[in-house]
């Protein structure tokens, strides 16, 4: 896609120069995305610090065995690639109920350290606590890394922004993961989300529906 110059006509067709029309809005959006990624990384680091606590080793071992259906021991974690480990860690942090009061890692962080987090991270943390794992169909891949998703388990269509996934995905593909953010265009895809071919939908949807229930 060609780069639009500041003094070029705005691509939206308004007749104004880009710098006087959509340019400032798009630059502001880019800044928000950079800040948002930084805050996501900070919160993720805080969550992982709880995972590493000695008191949760037995839980970590149990969760690892359950996630991989007994195929791997926790000692083999270093041999797994980053996407595989992020998929496990995301499930462990957001879904697995630990032996410590049957609380999830994300709930433990909120209860023990939430009051000390900056307001922006507290807001993200509550967003994460309310999130759910789902199976999404990609309806559209648009410019700028924009995706239009259908939630195959709860219904509804939602926008999301993920430049990395947009480069790889095609309409009809599936995403197994989480969508964060509002429904107004600033939705984000969680780092542990898995991209799957659409051909898997018939078999996978039944499994996902039973698991979600």
């Amino acid at each position: 896609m060609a780069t639009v110059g500041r003094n070029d006509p705005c691509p939206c067709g308004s007749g104004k120069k880009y710098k006087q029309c959509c340019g400032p809005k798009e630059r502001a959006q880019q800044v928000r995305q950079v800040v948002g990624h930084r805050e996501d990384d900070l919160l993720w680091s805080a969550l992982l610090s709880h995972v590493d606590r000695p008191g949760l080793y037995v839980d970590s071992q149990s969760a690892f065995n359950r996630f991989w259906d007994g195929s791997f021991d926790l000692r083999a974690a270093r041999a797994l690639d980053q996407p595989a480990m992020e998929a496990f860690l995301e499930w462990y942090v957001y879904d697995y109920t630990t032996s410590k009061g049957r609380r999830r890692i994300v709930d433990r962080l909120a209860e023990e350290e939430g009051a000390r987090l900056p307001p922006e991270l507290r807001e993200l943390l509550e967003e994460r606590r309310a999130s759910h794992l789902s199976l999404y169909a990609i309806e559209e891949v648009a410019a700028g890394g924009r995706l239009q998703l259908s939630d195959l388990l709860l219904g509804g269509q939602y926008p999301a922004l993920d430049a990395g996934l947009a480069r790889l995905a095609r309409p009809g593909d599936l995403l197994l993961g989480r969508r964060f953010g509002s429904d107004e265009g600033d939705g984000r895809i969680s780092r542990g989300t898995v991209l799957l071919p659409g051909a898997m939908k018939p078999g996978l949807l039944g499994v996902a529906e039973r698991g979600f229930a």
Side-chain angles (χ1 to χ4, degrees), residues 116-150:
R116 297 193 295 273
L117 294 175
E120 297 82 3
L121 293 191
R122 285 203 302 272
E123 183 177 343
L124 284 182
L125 182 58
E126 291 307 311
E127 183 182 84
R128 302 305 190 262
R129 293 178 77 183
S131 70
H132 66 275
L133 183 67
S134 195
L135 183 65
Y136 297 93
I138 299 176
E139 303 293 342
E140 181 183 355
V141 180
R146 298 183 182 280
L147 304 168
Q148 188 70 21
L149 309 177
S150 292

Side-chain angles (χ1 to χ4, degrees), residues 183-201:
D183 302 340
E184 305 302 323
D186 63 345
R188 302 177 303 285
I189 303 300
S190 64
R191 66 183 66 223
T193 294
V194 180
L195 176 64
L196 300 167
M200 296 183 66
K201 181 179 177 179

Side-chain angles (χ1 to χ4, degrees), residues 6 56 58 65 73 87 91 100-101 103 121 126 136 140 143 148-149 152-153 174 180 182 188 197 208 212:
R6 283 171 44 81
L56 286 175
V58 173
N65 286 338
D73 184 89
W91 171 79
K100 309 298 182 182
R103 293 180 300 166
L121 293 191
E126 291 307 311
Y136 297 93
E140 181 183 355
Q148 188 70 21
L149 309 177
L152 298 179
L153 301 184
L174 305 174
F180 300 136
S182 74
R188 302 177 303 285
F212 190 78

Side-chain angles (χ1 to χ4, degrees), residues 55-124:
L56 286 175
Y57 179 79
V58 173
D59 281 296
S60 298
Q61 177 70 64
S62 175
F64 198 80
N65 286 338
R66 180 178 174 187
F67 187 84
W68 296 110
D69 199 23
S71 299
F72 298 106
D73 184 89
L74 188 58
R75 291 170 294 184
R78 294 171 184 260
L80 298 175
D81 60 22
Q82 183 177 351
M85 274 305 296
E86 286 189 338
F88 160 69
L89 286 169
E90 195 168 276
W91 171 79
Y92 181 33
V93 164
Y94 297 133
D95 291 317
Y96 184 80
T97 52
T98 69
S99 61
K100 309 298 182 182
R102 307 302 297 169
R103 293 180 300 166
R104 302 174 299 164
I105 300 292
V106 67
D107 296 327
R108 287 168 55 91
L109 177 64
E111 293 164 12
E112 297 173 16
E113 299 182 24
R116 297 193 295 273
L117 294 175
E120 297 82 3
L121 293 191
R122 285 203 302 272
E123 183 177 343
L124 284 182

Side-chain angles (χ1 to χ4, degrees), residues 2-14:
T3 301
V4 181
R6 283 171 44 81
N7 292 311
D8 291 341
C10 190
C12 75
S14 66

